[in-house]
C-alpha cells in the first residue's frame, strides 16, 4: 500500500474587492471575470491530477475557484467539494482596521 499523497493548495481567483485592493475577509464576494479566467488557467495546469478529496472555504469565491479547477480536469468522477468555514482567510481585527484606514475603504 502506497502511503504517499499530494496536497495541492490554491488561492481563490480575483474578486472586485481584490482589484480595488480591498480586504474581502468574510464578505461573500464572487469571482470577477479575471478571477474565473485565473481559476480556469489553474484548472488547465492541473488537468491531469487525480483529486480524491477537495476542500474549500464556504465563501463563494473559493467554491467558484474549486469548480473552475474541477471542470477542467480529465478525471471522470471527481469528488464533491467539502465546504469548511475554518478555511476562510484570517485577519485579526487590528490588521483589518489598519488596512481599511490605509486604503480609505469604500464598499464597491
Amino acid at each position: 500500500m502506497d502511503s504517499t499523497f499530494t496536497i495541492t493548495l490554491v488561492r481563490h481567483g480575483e474578486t472586485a474587492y481584490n482589484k480595488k485592493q480591498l480586504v474581502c475577509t468574510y464578505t461573500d464576494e464572487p469571482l470577477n471575470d479575471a478571477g474565473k479566467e485565473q481559476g480556469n488557467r489553474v484548472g488547465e495546469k492541473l488537468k491531469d491530477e487525480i483529486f480524491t478529496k477537495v476542500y474549500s472555504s464556504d465563501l463563494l469565491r473559493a467554491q467558484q475557484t474549486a469548480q473552475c479547477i474541477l471542470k477542467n480536469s480529465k478525471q471522470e468522477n471527481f469528488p464533491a467539494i467539502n465546504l469548511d468555514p475554518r478555511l476562510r482567510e484570517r485577519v485579526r481585527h487590528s490588521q483589518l482596521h489598519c488596512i481599511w484606514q490605509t486604503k480609505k475603504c469604500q464598499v464597491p
Side-chain angles (χ1 to χ4, degrees):
M1 179 175 156
D2 187 10
S3 62
T4 63
F5 60 91
T6 301
I7 296 175
T8 304
L9 300 174
V10 177
R11 183 189 186 275
H12 65 76
E14 184 182 82
T15 68
Y17 272 47
N18 298 145
K19 185 149 179 84
K20 294 181 180 188
Q21 296 183 328
L22 302 176
V23 178
C24 293
T25 62
Y26 298 147
T27 305
D28 206 9
E29 184 75 14
L31 296 178
N32 61 17
D33 289 339
K36 291 175 186 172
E37 177 59 31
Q38 291 165 349
N40 285 326
R41 283 197 318 256
V42 171
E44 184 61 31
K45 295 279 186 190
L46 297 175
K47 68 183 177 191
D48 294 321
E49 297 296 322
I50 302 298
F51 296 103
T52 56
K53 303 262 189 219
V54 177
Y55 293 91
S56 169
S57 96
D58 59 337
L59 296 176
L60 183 57
R61 59 188 173 269
Q63 293 175 54
Q64 289 175 317
T65 302
Q67 290 166 350
C68 287
I69 292 168
L70 291 175
K71 81 175 185 183
N72 284 286
S73 175
K74 290 182 179 177
Q75 187 173 342
E76 289 185 25
N77 297 312
F78 45 82
I81 300 171
N82 297 288
L83 305 180
D84 190 331
R86 295 175 298 176
L87 295 174
R88 290 179 176 185
E89 56 206 79
R90 295 173 194 248
V91 177
R92 290 192 308 259
H93 187 269
S94 60
Q95 291 172 315
L96 183 60
H97 179 72
C98 177
I99 293 166
W100 282 54
Q101 290 298 319
T102 302
K103 297 293 182 188
K104 304 219 183 286
C105 182
Q106 295 178 6
V107 177

